[in-house]
Amino acid sequence: MEFWVRVLSFAVTLACFFFSFSPVFVESRVRRYTFNVVMKNSTKLCSTKPIVTVNGRFPGPPLYAREGDNVLVRVTNHVKYNVTIHWHGIRQIRTGWSDGPAYITQCPIQPGQNYVYNFTVTGQRGTLLWHAHILWLRVTVHGAIVILPKLGVPYPFPKPNKEVIVVLAEWWKSDTEAVINEAMKSGLAPNVSDAHTINGHPGPQSNCSSLGGFNLKVESGKTYLLRIINAALNEELFFKIAGHKLTVVEVDAVYVKPFGVDTIVIAPGQTTNALITADKASGNYLVSASPFMDSPVAVDNNTATATLRYSGTLASAATTLASVPALNATPVANNFIDALRSLNSKTYPAKVPLKVDHRLFFTVGLGVNPCPSCKAGNGSRVVAAINNVTFTMPTTALLQAHYFNKKGVFTADFPGTPQFPFNYTGTPPQNLATTNGTRVYRLSYNSSVELVLQDTGLIAPENHPLHLHGFNFFAVGKGLGNYNPSTDPAKFNLVDPVERNTIGVPSGGWVAIRFVADNPGVWFMHCHLEVHTTWGLKMAFLVDNGVGPNQSLIPPPRDLPKC
């Protein structure tokens, strides 16, 4: 008996020792999710159509995790389309196999097949999004990613009483795959959407006034954290709540210096966390999501609406309205963008690369290539390009080709500067043709990159939200007109620039970003306006392995889909 008492005592002592010195074991956990991709009938704008969804929901189910958690998502494809899911903004340190862009890091999940995405949330906390990354399926296949801080770690701002996810999106009455297929056949731009939505609801529209909208229910005196996501396919949006100020505290899952604003601007793929205090006694207040476009480009000019409703207020009570920004309200957008600064605290420093190994200059814009079958386009089609290269999608995933050293899939000769320099924001050249190719830019592990993204005025200047997979970057500078390498770097902010994963290249201007290539693999960079991605405004960085296993891409999983 005494022997077993001693054994039990030793076991208890050992357990206490282990738990007291192993906080990671206590805090971190495995989060398991099941995503079934299925068709579901949905009614909007007084008409019904089948849509592709995850688990029958639009928007899809939110994914919750804490910093440090391992996330496993089994995705099963029950629809006729090939499917992939991208975890937008997740760094995917050494786990590029789970990044999700079709034919870049994986072959798609074919109908009737499944794949388990397996990644660990490393050094991130805040709001991101997940979405389909093939065809135009992300129009309805998307949802929130909420990354909570580690247990016991507070927010660097006052703790809210409640948190609310707000997903902004677009809606077409037609089948979106038919919309883009018809556009590609014609060579012209696709039809714009028929409405915007807030958490799946457009709100009352002139052609369907019976529709209700999303209700944000609040109690007077309480503070709410809004996790705002733009999951729209093709449009930047203004977001505003009548009679209330928003205090911005985070963008793209990175804390920022808090600032107050009444209107935020948010591009497709971007996220913004903002605090709102219910400082009124009662009432209904209009919530609006309206488009931002400061170029002569067609957009869906409908405003999605919701209602912020104080407890005790009748639904039939009058709603306090506020004017939505003009479609081309560039000063309103710049007021928000220019206020963004990294928190740059002791706990959350802004580690801006000061030494630069690669200075790259990429033009981004449109072009026109011959297309004899495009009758509507008079024998031409609109294309898009980076450094005049219209990206050709491979039929084998680039990451697999790289890992297994398969030849003939891509070339590592993407140009680091424009092949044909011209006055990018002035009079365009007569020849608007681009070259085609599956070309990547190669980076050595841990090298630092400064990349200037320059909009061109070809066809029309336009704001391009560029998303870089696998990395966060610092937006160190921006300006209008042509970038001047002699004078503009002197104005760069290298102290507390905002850190993001998706950045808007200003219409008729440029933006400069810096990042460290500390993540081996093949990483997609593309415009997050889906029409421009379809037209070829995309490329990829190939980052070589470093030294040893901790700086190397992990082997592919056994269930990796095959092409």
Side-chain angles (χ1 to χ4, degrees), residues 307-331:
T307 304
L308 184 147
R309 176 168 297 146
Y310 281 75
S311 61
T313 302
L314 297 176
S316 58
T319 299
T320 299
L321 306 178
S323 59
V324 299
L327 177 67
N328 60 349
T330 306

mmCIF file with all atom_site columns, all heavy atoms in Angstrom, residues 307-331:
data_model
loop_
_atom_site.group_PDB
_atom_site.id
_atom_site.type_symbol
_atom_site.label_atom_id
_atom_site.label_alt_id
_atom_site.label_comp_id
_atom_site.label_asym_id
_atom_site.label_entity_id
_atom_site.label_seq_id
_atom_site.pdbx_PDB_ins_code
_atom_site.Cartn_x
_atom_site.Cartn_y
_atom_site.Cartn_z
_atom_site.occupancy
_atom_site.B_iso_or_equiv
_atom_site.pdbx_formal_charge
_atom_site.auth_seq_id
_atom_site.auth_comp_id
_atom_site.auth_asym_id
_atom_site.auth_atom_id
_atom_site.pdbx_PDB_model_num
ATOM 1   N N   . THR A 1 307 ? -29.241 47.804 -39.906 1.00 0.00 ? 307 THR A N   1
ATOM 2   C CA  . THR A 1 307 ? -29.737 48.693 -38.855 1.00 0.00 ? 307 THR A CA  1
ATOM 3   C C   . THR A 1 307 ? -29.026 48.421 -37.546 1.00 0.00 ? 307 THR A C   1
ATOM 4   O O   . THR A 1 307 ? -28.958 47.273 -37.097 1.00 0.00 ? 307 THR A O   1
ATOM 5   C CB  . THR A 1 307 ? -31.254 48.515 -38.642 1.00 0.00 ? 307 THR A CB  1
ATOM 6   O OG1 . THR A 1 307 ? -31.938 48.732 -39.879 1.00 0.00 ? 307 THR A OG1 1
ATOM 7   C CG2 . THR A 1 307 ? -31.777 49.474 -37.589 1.00 0.00 ? 307 THR A CG2 1
ATOM 8   N N   . LEU A 1 308 ? -28.456 49.467 -36.951 1.00 0.00 ? 308 LEU A N   1
ATOM 9   C CA  . LEU A 1 308 ? -27.989 49.396 -35.567 1.00 0.00 ? 308 LEU A CA  1
ATOM 10  C C   . LEU A 1 308 ? -29.181 49.761 -34.690 1.00 0.00 ? 308 LEU A C   1
ATOM 11  O O   . LEU A 1 308 ? -29.689 50.882 -34.784 1.00 0.00 ? 308 LEU A O   1
ATOM 12  C CB  . LEU A 1 308 ? -26.818 50.339 -35.341 1.00 0.00 ? 308 LEU A CB  1
ATOM 13  C CG  . LEU A 1 308 ? -26.172 50.298 -33.949 1.00 0.00 ? 308 LEU A CG  1
ATOM 14  C CD1 . LEU A 1 308 ? -24.679 50.573 -34.032 1.00 0.00 ? 308 LEU A CD1 1
ATOM 15  C CD2 . LEU A 1 308 ? -26.806 51.320 -32.998 1.00 0.00 ? 308 LEU A CD2 1
ATOM 16  N N   . ARG A 1 309 ? -29.633 48.819 -33.880 1.00 0.00 ? 309 ARG A N   1
ATOM 17  C CA  . ARG A 1 309 ? -30.870 49.008 -33.103 1.00 0.00 ? 309 ARG A CA  1
ATOM 18  C C   . ARG A 1 309 ? -30.583 48.887 -31.612 1.00 0.00 ? 309 ARG A C   1
ATOM 19  O O   . ARG A 1 309 ? -30.078 47.868 -31.138 1.00 0.00 ? 309 ARG A O   1
ATOM 20  C CB  . ARG A 1 309 ? -31.924 47.985 -33.518 1.00 0.00 ? 309 ARG A CB  1
ATOM 21  C CG  . ARG A 1 309 ? -33.221 48.046 -32.701 1.00 0.00 ? 309 ARG A CG  1
ATOM 22  C CD  . ARG A 1 309 ? -34.308 47.211 -33.349 1.00 0.00 ? 309 ARG A CD  1
ATOM 23  N NE  . ARG A 1 309 ? -34.628 47.747 -34.662 1.00 0.00 ? 309 ARG A NE  1
ATOM 24  C CZ  . ARG A 1 309 ? -34.991 47.004 -35.710 1.00 0.00 ? 309 ARG A CZ  1
ATOM 25  N NH1 . ARG A 1 309 ? -35.089 45.701 -35.582 1.00 0.00 ? 309 ARG A NH1 1
ATOM 26  N NH2 . ARG A 1 309 ? -35.263 47.588 -36.859 1.00 0.00 ? 309 ARG A NH2 1
ATOM 27  N N   . TYR A 1 310 ? -30.908 49.946 -30.884 1.00 0.00 ? 310 TYR A N   1
ATOM 28  C CA  . TYR A 1 310 ? -30.757 49.923 -29.421 1.00 0.00 ? 310 TYR A CA  1
ATOM 29  C C   . TYR A 1 310 ? -31.856 49.076 -28.812 1.00 0.00 ? 310 TYR A C   1
ATOM 30  O O   . TYR A 1 310 ? -32.994 49.036 -29.317 1.00 0.00 ? 310 TYR A O   1
ATOM 31  C CB  . TYR A 1 310 ? -30.824 51.352 -28.864 1.00 0.00 ? 310 TYR A CB  1
ATOM 32  C CG  . TYR A 1 310 ? -29.532 52.126 -29.018 1.00 0.00 ? 310 TYR A CG  1
ATOM 33  C CD1 . TYR A 1 310 ? -29.149 52.636 -30.256 1.00 0.00 ? 310 TYR A CD1 1
ATOM 34  C CD2 . TYR A 1 310 ? -28.698 52.338 -27.926 1.00 0.00 ? 310 TYR A CD2 1
ATOM 35  C CE1 . TYR A 1 310 ? -27.962 53.337 -30.413 1.00 0.00 ? 310 TYR A CE1 1
ATOM 36  C CE2 . TYR A 1 310 ? -27.510 53.041 -28.062 1.00 0.00 ? 310 TYR A CE2 1
ATOM 37  C CZ  . TYR A 1 310 ? -27.154 53.540 -29.297 1.00 0.00 ? 310 TYR A CZ  1
ATOM 38  O OH  . TYR A 1 310 ? -25.975 54.233 -29.441 1.00 0.00 ? 310 TYR A OH  1
ATOM 39  N N   . SER A 1 311 ? -31.523 48.382 -27.730 1.00 0.00 ? 311 SER A N   1
ATOM 40  C CA  . SER A 1 311 ? -32.505 47.533 -27.059 1.00 0.00 ? 311 SER A CA  1
ATOM 41  C C   . SER A 1 311 ? -33.682 48.378 -26.605 1.00 0.00 ? 311 SER A C   1
ATOM 42  O O   . SER A 1 311 ? -33.529 49.496 -26.113 1.00 0.00 ? 311 SER A O   1
ATOM 43  C CB  . SER A 1 311 ? -31.864 46.821 -25.861 1.00 0.00 ? 311 SER A CB  1
ATOM 44  O OG  . SER A 1 311 ? -31.384 47.761 -24.922 1.00 0.00 ? 311 SER A OG  1
ATOM 45  N N   . GLY A 1 312 ? -34.865 47.844 -26.793 1.00 0.00 ? 312 GLY A N   1
ATOM 46  C CA  . GLY A 1 312 ? -36.072 48.559 -26.425 1.00 0.00 ? 312 GLY A CA  1
ATOM 47  C C   . GLY A 1 312 ? -36.648 49.405 -27.540 1.00 0.00 ? 312 GLY A C   1
ATOM 48  O O   . GLY A 1 312 ? -37.752 49.954 -27.405 1.00 0.00 ? 312 GLY A O   1
ATOM 49  N N   . THR A 1 313 ? -35.934 49.536 -28.658 1.00 0.00 ? 313 THR A N   1
ATOM 50  C CA  . THR A 1 313 ? -36.421 50.326 -29.789 1.00 0.00 ? 313 THR A CA  1
ATOM 51  C C   . THR A 1 313 ? -37.257 49.456 -30.712 1.00 0.00 ? 313 THR A C   1
ATOM 52  O O   . THR A 1 313 ? -36.853 48.346 -31.071 1.00 0.00 ? 313 THR A O   1
ATOM 53  C CB  . THR A 1 313 ? -35.246 50.930 -30.582 1.00 0.00 ? 313 THR A CB  1
ATOM 54  O OG1 . THR A 1 313 ? -34.454 51.737 -29.717 1.00 0.00 ? 313 THR A OG1 1
ATOM 55  C CG2 . THR A 1 313 ? -35.753 51.769 -31.745 1.00 0.00 ? 313 THR A CG2 1
ATOM 56  N N   . LEU A 1 314 ? -38.413 49.935 -31.111 1.00 0.00 ? 314 LEU A N   1
ATOM 57  C CA  . LEU A 1 314 ? -39.278 49.185 -32.010 1.00 0.00 ? 314 LEU A CA  1
ATOM 58  C C   . LEU A 1 314 ? -38.697 49.171 -33.413 1.00 0.00 ? 314 LEU A C   1
ATOM 59  O O   . LEU A 1 314 ? -38.081 50.148 -33.862 1.00 0.00 ? 314 LEU A O   1
ATOM 60  C CB  . LEU A 1 314 ? -40.678 49.801 -32.043 1.00 0.00 ? 314 LEU A CB  1
ATOM 61  C CG  . LEU A 1 314 ? -41.462 49.786 -30.729 1.00 0.00 ? 314 LEU A CG  1
ATOM 62  C CD1 . LEU A 1 314 ? -42.794 50.515 -30.905 1.00 0.00 ? 314 LEU A CD1 1
ATOM 63  C CD2 . LEU A 1 314 ? -41.697 48.347 -30.271 1.00 0.00 ? 314 LEU A CD2 1
ATOM 64  N N   . ALA A 1 315 ? -38.903 48.060 -34.110 1.00 0.00 ? 315 ALA A N   1
ATOM 65  C CA  . ALA A 1 315 ? -38.437 47.972 -35.485 1.00 0.00 ? 315 ALA A CA  1
ATOM 66  C C   . ALA A 1 315 ? -39.108 49.015 -36.362 1.00 0.00 ? 315 ALA A C   1
ATOM 67  O O   . ALA A 1 315 ? -38.534 49.488 -37.349 1.00 0.00 ? 315 ALA A O   1
ATOM 68  C CB  . ALA A 1 315 ? -38.704 46.574 -36.026 1.00 0.00 ? 315 ALA A CB  1
ATOM 69  N N   . SER A 1 316 ? -40.328 49.407 -36.003 1.00 0.00 ? 316 SER A N   1
ATOM 70  C CA  . SER A 1 316 ? -41.092 50.377 -36.799 1.00 0.00 ? 316 SER A CA  1
ATOM 71  C C   . SER A 1 316 ? -40.701 51.816 -36.498 1.00 0.00 ? 316 SER A C   1
ATOM 72  O O   . SER A 1 316 ? -41.159 52.741 -37.174 1.00 0.00 ? 316 SER A O   1
ATOM 73  C CB  . SER A 1 316 ? -42.587 50.188 -36.542 1.00 0.00 ? 316 SER A CB  1
ATOM 74  O OG  . SER A 1 316 ? -42.872 50.342 -35.150 1.00 0.00 ? 316 SER A OG  1
ATOM 75  N N   . ALA A 1 317 ? -39.850 52.035 -35.495 1.00 0.00 ? 317 ALA A N   1
ATOM 76  C CA  . ALA A 1 317 ? -39.434 53.401 -35.161 1.00 0.00 ? 317 ALA A CA  1
ATOM 77  C C   . ALA A 1 317 ? -38.597 53.980 -36.297 1.00 0.00 ? 317 ALA A C   1
ATOM 78  O O   . ALA A 1 317 ? -37.974 53.265 -37.077 1.00 0.00 ? 317 ALA A O   1
ATOM 79  C CB  . ALA A 1 317 ? -38.642 53.400 -33.862 1.00 0.00 ? 317 ALA A CB  1
ATOM 80  N N   . ALA A 1 318 ? -38.588 55.289 -36.374 1.00 0.00 ? 318 ALA A N   1
ATOM 81  C CA  . ALA A 1 318 ? -37.830 55.971 -37.431 1.00 0.00 ? 318 ALA A CA  1
ATOM 82  C C   . ALA A 1 318 ? -36.346 55.629 -37.328 1.00 0.00 ? 318 ALA A C   1
ATOM 83  O O   . ALA A 1 318 ? -35.807 55.404 -36.236 1.00 0.00 ? 318 ALA A O   1
ATOM 84  C CB  . ALA A 1 318 ? -38.035 57.474 -37.332 1.00 0.00 ? 318 ALA A CB  1
ATOM 85  N N   . THR A 1 319 ? -35.680 55.591 -38.489 1.00 0.00 ? 319 THR A N   1
ATOM 86  C CA  . THR A 1 319 ? -34.253 55.295 -38.547 1.00 0.00 ? 319 THR A CA  1
ATOM 87  C C   . THR A 1 319 ? -33.466 56.561 -38.842 1.00 0.00 ? 319 THR A C   1
ATOM 88  O O   . THR A 1 319 ? -33.797 57.292 -39.778 1.00 0.00 ? 319 THR A O   1
ATOM 89  C CB  . THR A 1 319 ? -33.951 54.239 -39.633 1.00 0.00 ? 319 THR A CB  1
ATOM 90  O OG1 . THR A 1 319 ? -34.650 53.027 -39.321 1.00 0.00 ? 319 THR A OG1 1
ATOM 91  C CG2 . THR A 1 319 ? -32.469 53.957 -39.738 1.00 0.00 ? 319 THR A CG2 1
ATOM 92  N N   . THR A 1 320 ? -32.452 56.835 -38.031 1.00 0.00 ? 320 THR A N   1
ATOM 93  C CA  . THR A 1 320 ? -31.575 57.982 -38.277 1.00 0.00 ? 320 THR A CA  1
ATOM 94  C C   . THR A 1 320 ? -30.672 57.674 -39.460 1.00 0.00 ? 320 THR A C   1
ATOM 95  O O   . THR A 1 320 ? -29.971 56.655 -39.475 1.00 0.00 ? 320 THR A O   1
ATOM 96  C CB  . THR A 1 320 ? -30.712 58.286 -37.038 1.00 0.00 ? 320 THR A CB  1
ATOM 97  O OG1 . THR A 1 320 ? -31.578 58.597 -35.942 1.00 0.00 ? 320 THR A OG1 1
ATOM 98  C CG2 . THR A 1 320 ? -29.775 59.459 -37.302 1.00 0.00 ? 320 THR A CG2 1
ATOM 99  N N   . LEU A 1 321 ? -30.710 58.550 -40.459 1.00 0.00 ? 321 LEU A N   1
ATOM 100 C CA  . LEU A 1 321 ? -29.957 58.335 -41.682 1.00 0.00 ? 321 LEU A CA  1
ATOM 101 C C   . LEU A 1 321 ? -28.694 59.185 -41.688 1.00 0.00 ? 321 LEU A C   1
ATOM 102 O O   . LEU A 1 321 ? -28.539 60.118 -40.905 1.00 0.00 ? 321 LEU A O   1
ATOM 103 C CB  . LEU A 1 321 ? -30.815 58.674 -42.902 1.00 0.00 ? 321 LEU A CB  1
ATOM 104 C CG  . LEU A 1 321 ? -32.179 57.972 -42.998 1.00 0.00 ? 321 LEU A CG  1
ATOM 105 C CD1 . LEU A 1 321 ? -32.921 58.443 -44.243 1.00 0.00 ? 321 LEU A CD1 1
ATOM 106 C CD2 . LEU A 1 321 ? -32.011 56.466 -43.024 1.00 0.00 ? 321 LEU A CD2 1
ATOM 107 N N   . ALA A 1 322 ? -27.795 58.849 -42.590 1.00 0.00 ? 322 ALA A N   1
ATOM 108 C CA  . ALA A 1 322 ? -26.591 59.652 -42.833 1.00 0.00 ? 322 ALA A CA  1
ATOM 109 C C   . ALA A 1 322 ? -26.242 59.502 -44.298 1.00 0.00 ? 322 ALA A C   1
ATOM 110 O O   . ALA A 1 322 ? -26.454 58.441 -44.890 1.00 0.00 ? 322 ALA A O   1
ATOM 111 C CB  . ALA A 1 322 ? -25.431 59.200 -41.953 1.00 0.00 ? 322 ALA A CB  1
ATOM 112 N N   . SER A 1 323 ? -25.731 60.547 -44.900 1.00 0.00 ? 323 SER A N   1
ATOM 113 C CA  . SER A 1 323 ? -25.383 60.482 -46.312 1.00 0.00 ? 323 SER A CA  1
ATOM 114 C C   . SER A 1 323 ? -24.188 59.551 -46.507 1.00 0.00 ? 323 SER A C   1
ATOM 115 O O   . SER A 1 323 ? -23.231 59.580 -45.732 1.00 0.00 ? 323 SER A O   1
ATOM 116 C CB  . SER A 1 323 ? -25.044 61.872 -46.845 1.00 0.00 ? 323 SER A CB  1
ATOM 117 O OG  . SER A 1 323 ? -23.965 62.432 -46.116 1.00 0.00 ? 323 SER A OG  1
ATOM 118 N N   . VAL A 1 324 ? -24.270 58.724 -47.541 1.00 0.00 ? 324 VAL A N   1
ATOM 119 C CA  . VAL A 1 324 ? -23.137 57.852 -47.863 1.00 0.00 ? 324 VAL A CA  1
ATOM 120 C C   . VAL A 1 324 ? -22.137 58.660 -48.679 1.00 0.00 ? 324 VAL A C   1
ATOM 121 O O   . VAL A 1 324 ? -22.505 59.614 -49.357 1.00 0.00 ? 324 VAL A O   1
ATOM 122 C CB  . VAL A 1 324 ? -23.585 56.600 -48.644 1.00 0.00 ? 324 VAL A CB  1
ATOM 123 C CG1 . VAL A 1 324 ? -24.556 55.784 -47.827 1.00 0.00 ? 324 VAL A CG1 1
ATOM 124 C CG2 . VAL A 1 324 ? -24.187 56.984 -49.987 1.00 0.00 ? 324 VAL A CG2 1
ATOM 125 N N   . PRO A 1 325 ? -20.847 58.319 -48.591 1.00 0.00 ? 325 PRO A N   1
ATOM 126 C CA  . PRO A 1 325 ? -19.854 59.066 -49.379 1.00 0.00 ? 325 PRO A CA  1
ATOM 127 C C   . PRO A 1 325 ? -20.139 58.945 -50.874 1.00 0.00 ? 325 PRO A C   1
ATOM 128 O O   . PRO A 1 325 ? -20.714 57.960 -51.341 1.00 0.00 ? 325 PRO A O   1
ATOM 129 C CB  . PRO A 1 325 ? -18.533 58.391 -49.017 1.00 0.00 ? 325 PRO A CB  1
ATOM 130 C CG  . PRO A 1 325 ? -18.795 57.677 -47.724 1.00 0.00 ? 325 PRO A CG  1
ATOM 131 C CD  . PRO A 1 325 ? -20.232 57.273 -47.771 1.00 0.00 ? 325 PRO A CD  1
ATOM 132 N N   . ALA A 1 326 ? -19.735 59.959 -51.619 1.00 0.00 ? 326 ALA A N   1
ATOM 133 C CA  . ALA A 1 326 ? -19.858 59.888 -53.067 1.00 0.00 ? 326 ALA A CA  1
ATOM 134 C C   . ALA A 1 326 ? -19.028 58.732 -53.595 1.00 0.00 ? 326 ALA A C   1
ATOM 135 O O   . ALA A 1 326 ? -18.046 58.310 -52.979 1.00 0.00 ? 326 ALA A O   1
ATOM 136 C CB  . ALA A 1 326 ? -19.394 61.201 -53.695 1.00 0.00 ? 326 ALA A CB  1
ATOM 137 N N   . LEU A 1 327 ? -19.430 58.205 -54.731 1.00 0.00 ? 327 LEU A N   1
ATOM 138 C CA  . LEU A 1 327 ? -18.729 57.075 -55.342 1.00 0.00 ? 327 LEU A CA  1
ATOM 139 C C   . LEU A 1 327 ? -17.237 57.346 -55.488 1.00 0.00 ? 327 LEU A C   1
ATOM 140 O O   . LEU A 1 327 ? -16.406 56.467 -55.249 1.00 0.00 ? 327 LEU A O   1
ATOM 141 C CB  . LEU A 1 327 ? -19.351 56.786 -56.719 1.00 0.00 ? 327 LEU A CB  1
ATOM 142 C CG  . LEU A 1 327 ? -18.714 55.682 -57.561 1.00 0.00 ? 327 LEU A CG  1
ATOM 143 C CD1 . LEU A 1 327 ? -18.909 54.319 -56.916 1.00 0.00 ? 327 LEU A CD1 1
ATOM 144 C CD2 . LEU A 1 327 ? -19.303 55.685 -58.977 1.00 0.00 ? 327 LEU A CD2 1
ATOM 145 N N   . ASN A 1 328 ? -16.885 58.597 -55.850 1.00 0.00 ? 328 ASN A N   1
ATOM 146 C CA  . ASN A 1 328 ? -15.481 58.943 -56.107 1.00 0.00 ? 328 ASN A CA  1
ATOM 147 C C   . ASN A 1 328 ? -14.879 59.793 -54.991 1.00 0.00 ? 328 ASN A C   1
ATOM 148 O O   . ASN A 1 328 ? -14.036 60.660 -55.241 1.00 0.00 ? 328 ASN A O   1
ATOM 149 C CB  . ASN A 1 328 ? -15.361 59.687 -57.437 1.00 0.00 ? 328 ASN A CB  1
ATOM 150 C CG  . ASN A 1 328 ? -16.163 60.988 -57.449 1.00 0.00 ? 328 ASN A CG  1
ATOM 151 O OD1 . ASN A 1 328 ? -16.967 61.231 -56.552 1.00 0.00 ? 328 ASN A OD1 1
ATOM 152 N ND2 . ASN A 1 328 ? -15.933 61.814 -58.450 1.00 0.00 ? 328 ASN A ND2 1
ATOM 153 N N   . ALA A 1 329 ? -15.296 59.516 -53.742 1.00 0.00 ? 329 ALA A N   1
ATOM 154 C CA  . ALA A 1 329 ? -14.846 60.328 -52.595 1.00 0.00 ? 329 ALA A CA  1
ATOM 155 C C   . ALA A 1 329 ? -13.433 59.934 -52.182 1.00 0.00 ? 329 ALA A C   1
ATOM 156 O O   . ALA A 1 329 ? -13.212 59.367 -51.107 1.00 0.00 ? 329 ALA A O   1
ATOM 157 C CB  . ALA A 1 329 ? -15.826 60.182 -51.432 1.00 0.00 ? 329 ALA A CB  1
ATOM 158 N N   . THR A 1 330 ? -12.461 60.271 -53.027 1.00 0.00 ? 330 THR A N   1
ATOM 159 C CA  . THR A 1 330 ? -11.062 59.940 -52.732 1.00 0.00 ? 330 THR A CA  1
ATOM 160 C C   . THR A 1 330 ? -10.570 60.558 -51.426 1.00 0.00 ? 330 THR A C   1
ATOM 161 O O   . THR A 1 330 ? -9.855  59.894 -50.665 1.00 0.00 ? 330 THR A O   1
ATOM 162 C CB  . THR A 1 330 ? -10.160 60.364 -53.905 1.00 0.00 ? 330 THR A CB  1
ATOM 163 O OG1 . THR A 1 330 ? -10.663 59.782 -55.120 1.00 0.00 ? 330 THR A OG1 1
ATOM 164 C CG2 . THR A 1 330 ? -8.725  59.912 -53.696 1.00 0.00 ? 330 THR A CG2 1
ATOM 165 N N   . PRO A 1 331 ? -10.910 61.843 -51.130 1.00 0.00 ? 331 PRO A N   1
ATOM 166 C CA  . PRO A 1 331 ? -10.450 62.404 -49.844 1.00 0.00 ? 331 PRO A CA  1
ATOM 167 C C   . PRO A 1 331 ? -10.935 61.621 -48.635 1.00 0.00 ? 331 PRO A C   1
ATOM 168 O O   . PRO A 1 331 ? -10.206 61.491 -47.644 1.00 0.00 ? 331 PRO A O   1
ATOM 169 C CB  . PRO A 1 331 ? -11.022 63.830 -49.865 1.00 0.00 ? 331 PRO A CB  1
ATOM 170 C CG  . PRO A 1 331 ? -11.188 64.160 -51.314 1.00 0.00 ? 331 PRO A CG  1
ATOM 171 C CD  . PRO A 1 331 ? -11.581 62.864 -51.959 1.00 0.00 ? 331 PRO A CD  1
#
